[in-house]
């Protein structure tokens, strides 16, 4: 709106001189290359000038012209013009005609009046037309083939399957004839599905970069505006532009912001707008003829909330899954994001990949950056492995929190955390405990951090039980040492509940319920369509597993009471213990090689991170 008005003002000012024809920037560059430009005057990105010979554009022709240089233009216009000896004059923005400065100083008032005018018109017009039509033009960002540094598949790693799926689309966009000759049809709508930060947006940009075709990108949340009708008008405009530039790509990010199922969304107000926008997308997608070479990519991390209409044949009927990377993938992603860092020779990306199970591309990028920041802060001239360790720790545990605990509280936390850590040593097959600390970080007052050795795709029942036993260790230690429990175990108990429910409802690990999966495909939530009896049984079985693990935890800690005391004293003295110190304090000998357990982002919700599971939050609740 503001821009439109300003444009309008500027064009009034400029056109008040001799009549100038407006030519596309590309025409201007062509003429400059042909040596047909006599002189130019530039005011920021607006260029006016004279052609040497008359040029015809559309219905207009003449030698006086004006054009707008796109802000994303990467060409060297100055070099081109000097090469052809074109004199260049520039006026500072805002200078120039006194009329212009007058208008600018009255700008705010004019805007207000303009806005009121717009609103009053808006009451009368319902369709897109007049001012509304202009307003409804999409703010889609156009990345044309020659603008800016390109994103290519080389910038994307760790999601090879998704890349392969999209390679075909790229090939089609490059050489549509090859496919059309055989009558093959490329799907128009492709939905990228995956957890946040896995690289969906990045991948879409890479498709544009690889295929070298115009790319219209729009974030769906931009559509959802208060004024009804604008979203739909933008969609229409976006598709029109893309069709005109075909073969081309439309990218709708965060599709769930508008594409949410109409039945499930009950919010009032914004709804109408969203529905109209959604309908317009559906109409546009249905309106494609087979040889319209526009590929519509969309991304979401919540496919389950999408309106089923969007997924029907002819619409987003092709799905590309973007999963969190495995160890090798993480290493490859780290390689990309450490390209420009000065790494010390001791940095081992494979090790870092191993320590970051469950991290996605965006996390890894942050870690690389954080490590560089830490190194810079310390005044080092290379980024060392220790910097990476610290960056990972920060990302898992949060920043140190300046908080002063009383001695009693500190002792309680020391026991709680020691309980976790000791269980980590005693439970067979548990992930190795890396660190035990009673330094408050993020939301937690203390933490035990055990690091999974690698991704795991398969969980033996004993491993899951071990995790529950370990998570209950903090509370059990409070019981054993104090005979009472505090509220500090809340987040532990959430984990416990989550794991136990998964065991019973998802992995069929309850003999009473049998090998049933009661969860909804996709999101892992427990489905609703089973009998009350089953549901009761489910609760009972969860309770049984948790009780058994709890008893086990209390038993082990009672038997090892002296070790628990020693460990708690040690951490009270030093605040933080590493693996070796933990073993030393308990008098348990460290196993020669870490056990071959491979651990995991636990698929509790498909997206739970093992980091979340491995870290323990004593809970903000004990904060006083
Ligand atoms: P999404 O759209 O899936 O939420 P993004 O594409 O916005 O994720 O990812 C954010 C940033 O994280 C990217 O710009 C990129 O720097 C980094 N990133 C994410 N995934 C990857 C990947 N697979 N390979 C390389 N970098 C990645
Ligand atoms: Mg994104
Ligand atoms: Zn705990």
């Amino acid at each position: 709106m503001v821009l439109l008005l300003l444009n309008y003002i500027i064009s009034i000012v400029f056109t008040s001189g001799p009549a100038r024809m407006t030519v596309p920037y590309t025409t201007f560059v062509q003429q400059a290359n042909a040596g047909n430009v006599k002189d130019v005057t530039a005011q920021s990105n607006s260029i006016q000038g004279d052609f040497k010979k008359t040029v015809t554009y559309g219905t207009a022709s003449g030698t006086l012209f004006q054009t707008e240089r796109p802000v994303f233009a990467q060409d060297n216009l100055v070099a081109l013009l000097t090469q052809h000896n074109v004199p260049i004059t520039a006026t500072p923005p805002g200078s120039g005609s006194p009329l212009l400065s007058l208008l600018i100083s009255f700008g705010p008032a004019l805007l207000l009046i303009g806005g009121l005018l717009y609103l009053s018109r808006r009451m009368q017009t319902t369709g897109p037309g007049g001012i509304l039509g202009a307003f409804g033009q999409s703010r889609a960002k156009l990345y044309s083939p020659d603008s800016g540094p390109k994103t290519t598949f080389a910038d994307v790693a760790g999601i090879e399957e998704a890349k392969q799926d999209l390679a075909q689309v790229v090939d089609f966009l490059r050489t549509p004839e090859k496919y059309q000759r055989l009558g093959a049809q490329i799907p128009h709508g492709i939905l990228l599905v995956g957890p946040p930060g896995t690289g969906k947006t990045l991948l879409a940009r890479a498709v544009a970069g690889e295929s070298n075709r115009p790319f219209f990108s729009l974030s769906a949340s931009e559509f959802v505006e208060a004024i009804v009708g604008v979203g739909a008008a933008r969609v229409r405009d976006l598709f029109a532009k893309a069709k005109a530039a075909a073969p081309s790509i439309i990218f709708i990010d965060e599709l769930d912001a508008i594409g949410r199922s109409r039945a499930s969304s009950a919010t009032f107000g914004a709804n109408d707008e969203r529905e109209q926008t959604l309908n317009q997308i559906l109409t546009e997608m249905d309106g494609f003829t087979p040889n319209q070479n526009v590929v519509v990519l969309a991304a979401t991390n919540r496919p389950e909330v999408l309106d089923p209409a969007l997924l029907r044949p002819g619409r987003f009927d092709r799905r590309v899954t973007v999963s969190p990377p495995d160890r090798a993938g993480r290493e490859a992603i780290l390689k990309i994001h450490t390209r420009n860092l000065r790494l010390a020779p001791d940095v081992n990306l494979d090790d870092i990949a191993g320590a970051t199970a469950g991290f996605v591309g965006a996390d890894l990028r942050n870690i690389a950056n954080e490590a560089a920041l830490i190194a810079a802060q310390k005044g080092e001239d290379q980024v060392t492995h220790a910097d990476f360790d610290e960056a990972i720790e920060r990302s898992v545990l949060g920043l140190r929190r300046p908080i002063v605990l009383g001695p009693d509280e500190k002792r309680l936390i020391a026991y709680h955390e020691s309980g976790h850590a000791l269980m980590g040593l005693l439970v067979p097959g548990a992930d190795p405990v890396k660190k035990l600390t009673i330094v408050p970080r993020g939301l937690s007052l203390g933490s035990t951090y055990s690091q999974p050795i690698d991704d795991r795709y398969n969980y033996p029942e004993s491993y899951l039980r071990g995790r529950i036993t370990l998570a209950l260790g903090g509370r059990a230690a409070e019981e054993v040492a104090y005979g009472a429990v505090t509220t500090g175990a809340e987040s532990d108990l959430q984990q416990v509940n989550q794991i136990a429910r998964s065991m019973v409802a998802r992995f069929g690990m309850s003999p009473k319920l049998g090998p049933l999966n009661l969860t909804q495909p996709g999101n892992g939530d427990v489905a609703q369509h089973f009998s009350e009896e089953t549901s009761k049984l489910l609760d009972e079985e969860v309770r049984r597993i948790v009780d058994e693990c709890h008893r086990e935890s209390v038993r082990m800690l009672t038997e090892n009471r002296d070790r628990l005391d020693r460990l708690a004293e040690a951490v009270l003295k030093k605040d933080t213990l590493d693996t070796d110190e933990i073993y030393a304090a308990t008098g348990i000998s460290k196993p020669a090689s870490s056990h071959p357990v491979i651990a995991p982002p636990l698929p509790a919700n498909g997206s739970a991170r093992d980091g979340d599971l491995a870290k323990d939050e004593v809970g903000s609740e004990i904060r006083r």
Side-chain angles (χ1 to χ4, degrees), residues 3 20 41 103 151 179 216 231 242 250 252 314 325 373 387 390 417 441-442 493 567 608 622:
L3 282 179
R20 289 183 181 276
T41 307
L103 278 168
T151 305
Y179 291 80
F216 299 85
I250 293 177
I252 305 178
L373 290 177
D387 298 328
E390 203 171 326
E417 294 307 328
R441 267 167 186 279
L493 299 185
L567 191 55
I622 352 179

Side-chain angles (χ1 to χ4, degrees), residues 170-376:
V170 169
D171 191 47
F172 165 77
L173 285 164
R174 276 194 197 143
T175 50
E177 318 81 48
K178 185 167 114 191
Y179 291 80
Q180 277 159 358
R181 204 163 41 89
L182 299 171
Q185 277 197 35
I186 268 291
H188 280 300
I190 299 165
L191 187 61
L192 304 174
V193 178
T198 43
K200 299 179 294 298
T201 307
L202 183 72
L203 204 52
R205 273 194 273 132
V207 168
E210 289 284 332
S211 59
N212 223 4
R213 297 304 313 166
F215 177 68
F216 299 85
S217 110
L218 202 54
S219 173
S221 51
E222 286 175 30
F223 282 132
V224 187
E225 298 207 356
I227 302 168
V228 178
V230 171
R234 284 208 181 124
V235 170
R236 204 163 16 225
D237 181 61
L238 177 67
F239 276 79
K241 279 184 184 155
K243 280 178 193 166
S248 61
I249 304 147
I250 293 177
F251 177 52
I252 305 178
D253 211 349
E254 305 155 43
L255 183 65
D256 43 285
I258 24 167
R260 189 166 305 184
S261 157
R262 282 167 279 199
S264 76
S265 54
T267 31
F268 193 70
N271 233 10
D272 229 13
E273 167 67 356
R274 210 177 44 210
E275 203 159 302
Q276 283 196 23
T277 309
L278 175 58
N279 283 336
Q280 191 62 35
I281 291 180
L282 297 177
T283 311
E284 295 287 348
M285 293 200 67
D286 290 342
F288 279 129
T289 55
N291 45 18
Q292 244 157 2
N293 299 323
V294 178
V295 170
V296 188
L297 293 175
T300 181
N301 43 43
R302 314 185 54 200
E304 70 282 352
V305 304
L306 288 183
D307 197 303
L310 273 168
L311 308 175
R312 251 173 243 148
R315 296 166 180 174
F316 292 103
D317 50 4
R318 178 77 91 81
R319 198 182 263 236
V320 171
T321 308
V322 186
S323 322
D326 60 8
R327 182 171 181 154
R330 289 194 299 273
E331 188 182 352
I333 295 173
L334 282 165
K335 231 175 232 151
I336 291 178
H337 292 290
T338 53
R339 271 194 298 222
N340 299 322
L341 300 186
R342 253 212 267 160
L343 297 183
D346 73 333
V347 174
N348 181 338
L349 295 184
D350 176 53
D351 272 1
I352 300 170
T356 47
F359 281 47
V360 295
D363 299 332
L364 294 168
R365 184 192 58 175
N366 288 347
I367 289 214
N369 189 46
E370 185 85 3
L373 290 177
I374 291 171

Side-chain angles (χ1 to χ4, degrees), residues 30 54 60 110 199 294 303 337 387 404 435 475 494 497 567 600:
Q30 275 160 15
T54 301
L110 285 172
V294 178
H337 292 290
D387 298 328
V404 184
K435 190 161 185 167
R475 185 190 163 95
Q494 275 165 5
N497 186 34
L567 191 55

